[in-house]
Amino acid sequence: QVQLVESGGGSVQSGGSLRLSCVASGYPFMAWFRQGQGKQREGLAAIDRDGSTTNYKGSVRDRFTISRDNAKSTLYLQMDNLKAEDTAMYYCAASRFRPPGTWLDEDEYNVWGQGTQVTVSS
């Protein structure tokens, strides 16, 4: 049973922007992850229920912005100045419970979407 649905991926040139969306309902803690080909899944950004607390992977902090619109039950990831190394499958994840660690560890989330592909050409 799919509970999270991502959208917004696609192909862009280096320097371009994309905004990913994830429809979900009732999860106070949510995050974005990505997994490049042959690489481990890595946490990018996380957010709490009202958006007052966020955390970012250092390498994307200045280029990616996580946000949410609870009225629309939607999580977003605005990605700017995209680079070829951002090419990956992007996933949203959710938890009903406050993650105990950095909020960027995949073990902290138990609900996942199926992913949306982002391809950045140089």
Side-chain angles (χ1 to χ4, degrees):
Q1 181 180 2
V2 176
Q3 301 184 57
L4 306 180
V5 180
E6 302 98 335
S7 63
S11 297
V12 295
Q13 290 189 329
S14 180
S17 297
L18 283 174
R19 188 176 77 159
L20 306 183
S21 300
C22 173
V23 178
S25 180
Y27 296 101
F29 301 98
M30 299 194 70
W32 287 99
F33 288 76
R34 71 184 177 191
Q35 187 167 19
Q37 192 169 7
K39 299 181 180 180
Q40 289 187 327
R41 189 175 298 185
E42 60 178 352
L44 301 174
I47 191 168
D48 67 351
R49 182 192 305 270
D50 60 5
S52 61
T53 301
T54 58
N55 194 25
Y56 291 90
K57 176 181 173 66
S59 62
V60 304
R61 180 183 302 276
D62 294 335
R63 301 187 294 121
F64 292 5
T65 303
I66 190 171
S67 62
R68 64 192 299 168
D69 184 336
N70 292 331
K72 296 181 179 180
S73 299
T74 303
L75 175 74
Y76 301 102
L77 184 68
Q78 177 68 41
M79 305 187 294
D80 299 315
N81 191 22
L82 283 162
K83 305 175 181 180
E85 53 262 43
D86 294 319
T87 294
M89 185 71 80
Y90 284 69
Y91 300 89
C92 64
S95 174
R96 298 192 186 279
F97 306 100
R98 185 183 184 89
T102 66
W103 294 23
L104 298 179
D105 188 327
E106 61 180 318
D107 291 337
E108 297 178 298
Y109 300 89
N110 60 344
V111 182
W112 292 82
Q114 292 186 319
T116 185
Q117 178 68 37
V118 172
T119 303
V120 185
S121 57
S122 57

